[in-house]
Amino acid sequence: MLPVLKSLSKIKVLLLENIAPSAIDTLKSYGINKITQHKGSYSNKELKIIIKDYHVLGIRSRTHLSGEVLNAANKFSTIGCFCIGTNQVDLVAARELGVPVFNAPYSNTRSVAELAICHIISLFRQISVKHLAILAGVWDKSANGCYEIRGKTLGIVGYGHIGKQLGAIAESLGMNVFYYDTLRQLSLGNAKALKSLKELLKISDVVSLHVPDNDSTKNMITRQELAIMKKGSYLINLSRGSVVSIDDLSLALESKHIAGAALDVFPAEPDSKEISFDCLLNNTPNVILTPHIAGSTEEAQVDIGQDVANKLANFLMSGSTIDAVNFARLNVPPIKNCMRFIHIHKNMPGMLTKINDVFSSLKVNILGQYLQTHDDIGYGVIDADVKSNSSRLAIKEALRSIKHTVRSYSIY
Ligand code: NAI
């Protein structure tokens, strides 16, 4: 365990939107104790006043951080998005202000993979059909159209974090696993890579989509792709709503070419439960619809809390930005027998020389130096042999006075 840094004890953290207690426990384990919590979110107007007091802000998906809000903060150091996405933050504005943003993109991987397994079994066993029948008072014990998943072929589109876990679990349940990914991936277990989406669609008894939302995946599954899928096969989409054409899927289900589908994501999703949701597939048999909950489990929340808090603490303790989503990525070692200076500046020629001049003019020995750039911002981390507080303050002031400096501070 490294000694608690003096600069950490000054850090003030504001956590909004009922962030999991695991985040607070984690921050405290690093000696970050000045933590204020607020159950809800704040309006932009309120935030502009409130965040002036804090160095760190933790949010989930309901708090929108515009450039205007971020510009109102004067001692802001970093933002933690205790969720998967970071669309709610103006990432460019944050970078230009020298503020790295962290999130937890993979904390709910297992939760999504498990729901996919649940959907595969439910579709093969017609669970939604049986459930609706029994609610209507019909005791339908028929085995018609109900199958085991053992020995069936699962086609995974997007063999990333979720796709790989799903494949491994499905294989342990006796399924044959194939996948298609635009990147070369290492197969887990006996999973086999196929060269094209078409090949995968042709052979799969169930296709499960786990791709990101990008130009290549927009409307990836339309009438043409559904027609290539095996007659009587199933489709699962727990990835993004833009990937599947709901109109075309509805027609394929009506014609019974596709025997069932499970969707957790939709092209347009309501912002809150007060807004009603209508989907073309609301009344289609053997269709399971869920409100974007594939990753929503208690375990995922705990993991998100720990993951983001660890990333924030790592940044605050060492200046490491390796996990930031909007910033020059630097993986720096823990501070040892030195003081560390952070210098965030406009990415321009000659900045490193000016930084070094500060140390040489003050006759201070540099022990280590790291620099990385991202678009318009340069990020420098300098370890120096500084023993006194007065020397630390002199260096900090001199670094801050360099032209084109965005922010500069010390960790000690
Ligand atoms: P990942 O980034 O680990 O994996 C995505 C994979 O898709 C990568 O291997 C990538 O190379 C591949 N890919 C990209 N474009 C492709 C294309 N055109 N064709 C085939 N493969 C392509 O992402 P992860 O964590 O596995 O997540 C997958 C999806 O699941 C994402 O869209 C994510 O937003 C979504 N998701 C949904 C949740 C929910 O609650 N429904 C929760 C968590 C993630």
Side-chain angles (χ1 to χ4, degrees), residues 138-160:
V138 179
W139 190 257
D140 173 13
K141 271 174 64 78
S142 152
N144 273 353
C146 299
Y147 303 95
E148 292 182 353
I149 64 166
R150 180 172 48 166
K152 305 298 184 299
T153 297
L154 166 63
I156 299 172
V157 185
Y159 197 62

Side-chain angles (χ1 to χ4, degrees), residues 114-351:
E114 284 192 13
L115 190 69
I117 292 289
C118 163
H119 284 335
I120 294 171
I121 298 175
S122 298
L123 290 170
F124 275 89
R125 296 295 290 273
Q126 306 252 355
I127 294 299
S128 72
V129 177
K130 303 283 182 195
H131 173 71
L132 288 175
I134 206 165
L135 289 182
V138 179
W139 190 257
D140 173 13
K141 271 174 64 78
S142 152
N144 273 353
C146 299
Y147 303 95
E148 292 182 353
I149 64 166
R150 180 172 48 166
K152 305 298 184 299
T153 297
L154 166 63
I156 299 172
V157 185
Y159 197 62
H161 287 79
I162 297 170
K164 284 194 179 85
Q165 280 228 18
L166 169 62
I169 306 171
E171 198 174 294
S172 75
L173 294 170
M175 298 192 84
N176 305 313
V177 179
F178 290 81
Y179 67 88
Y180 166 67
D181 198 297
T182 39
L183 292 182
R184 195 177 144 71
Q185 299 284 1
L186 186 70
S187 300
L188 294 190
N190 297 316
K192 288 181 192 64
L194 292 178
K195 287 208 167 60
S196 71
L197 177 62
K198 201 170 163 183
E199 268 181 86
L200 187 94
L201 298 177
K202 260 188 190 165
I203 61 156
S204 301
D205 297 308
V206 53
V207 172
S208 198
L209 306 170
H210 301 285
V211 288
D213 179 9
N214 63 28
D215 287 347
S216 76
T217 61
K218 199 172 171 52
N219 277 324
M220 187 182 218
I221 304 293
T222 63
R223 190 177 315 180
Q224 288 88 340
E225 289 74 27
L226 290 161
I228 296 169
M229 283 174 68
K230 265 179 153 175
K231 183 164 171 54
S233 61
Y234 305 98
L235 180 72
I236 296 174
N237 185 16
L238 308 181
S239 62
R240 283 291 177 255
S242 55
V243 179
V244 176
S245 159
I246 302 279
D247 289 359
D248 292 358
L249 176 60
S250 166
L251 291 173
L253 286 160
E254 258 173 48
S255 72
K256 306 252 187 299
H257 180 71
I258 299 296
L263 304 179
D264 185 52
V265 288
F266 303 88
E269 297 177 6
D271 281 338
S272 74
K273 59 183 173 195
E274 279 71 45
I275 302 167
S276 78
F277 176 68
D278 204 25
C279 174
L280 204 57
L281 305 174
N282 280 357
N283 292 313
T284 317
N286 210 15
V287 167
I288 305 166
L289 306 179
T290 46
H292 206 143
I293 48 130
S296 306
T297 60
E298 300 276 355
E299 287 88 346
Q301 287 309 314
V302 170
D303 201 76
I304 287 171
Q306 289 168 347
D307 189 29
V308 179
N310 275 318
K311 287 170 181 167
L312 291 173
N314 190 23
F315 169 68
L316 295 167
M317 284 172 69
S318 70
S320 181
T321 50
I322 191 69
D323 296 306
V325 293
N326 66 329
F327 216 69
R329 291 185 177 172
L330 266 187
N331 195 8
V332 288
I335 301 176
K336 215 172 163 193
N337 302 327
C338 64
M339 281 195 189
R340 184 161 285 176
F341 295 86
I342 305 291
H343 192 266
I344 306 168
H345 48 263
K346 299 267 180 232
N347 184 11
M348 309 186 80
M351 290 308 289

